[in-house]
Amino acid sequence: MVDYHSERLDAVFQALADPTRRAMLRQLADGERKVGELAEPYAMTLAAASKHIKALERAGLVRREVRGRIHVCRLDAQPLHGGFEWLRHYERFWNQRLDDLEALLRAEDDADRPAPAAPTSTASTSTASTSAASTSAAPAEPPRPPRRKPRP
């Protein structure tokens, strides 16, 4: 069971709320990166990039390792599972609501359709109407009034 009120879940959603951090996670999904590499696509200082990375670290989404003077980051996607489970609860809710709406709309469509004509039960009536229909032409549509040109 997912703890929906945990600080970790709050931190995950807070980290994912920022488009720069989401883009950094996309970069890290391809492999580990130096802080400078994560900052490079954006007009930001290393200090600003480090603040974004710290938010990702608080959420547990990034692991930072110091190799000499170089900070290397790698993705840890495990905390995303808690967010996924939280969202999945609402997915089930909305799927049920949408299924109910679909059933309601189908019922309205069925109610709006005209009922099919009941077949006649006697063979003589059926034969007479068939022979009459084959000898007579289809009724002509009523004549339409002539179209008038609009006045200038």
Side-chain angles (χ1 to χ4, degrees), residues 16 21-22 24-33 38 56 60-64 72-80:
L16 295 175
R21 291 192 284 267
R22 289 193 306 268
M24 287 179 169
L25 287 176
R26 268 187 245 112
Q27 285 180 286
L28 292 170
D30 293 334
E32 61 182 36
R33 299 277 192 273
L38 290 172
L56 293 169
L61 296 168
V62 168
R63 302 280 180 232
R64 189 188 319 215
V72 179
C73 300
R74 63 183 159 77
L75 175 66
D76 182 359
Q78 180 61 35
L80 290 173

Side-chain angles (χ1 to χ4, degrees), residues 91-146:
E91 176 186 24
R92 288 190 297 264
F93 169 79
W94 281 110
N95 283 340
Q96 181 60 47
R97 295 290 178 143
L98 291 172
D99 290 345
D100 293 346
L101 177 61
E102 181 182 20
L104 180 66
L105 292 173
R106 285 182 192 265
E108 283 184 6
D109 283 349
D110 291 344
D112 290 343
R113 288 191 186 125
T120 56
S121 60
T122 60
S124 61
T125 309
S126 172
T127 309
S129 62
T130 305
S131 61
S134 61
T135 57
S136 64
E141 291 184 27
R144 293 184 179 170

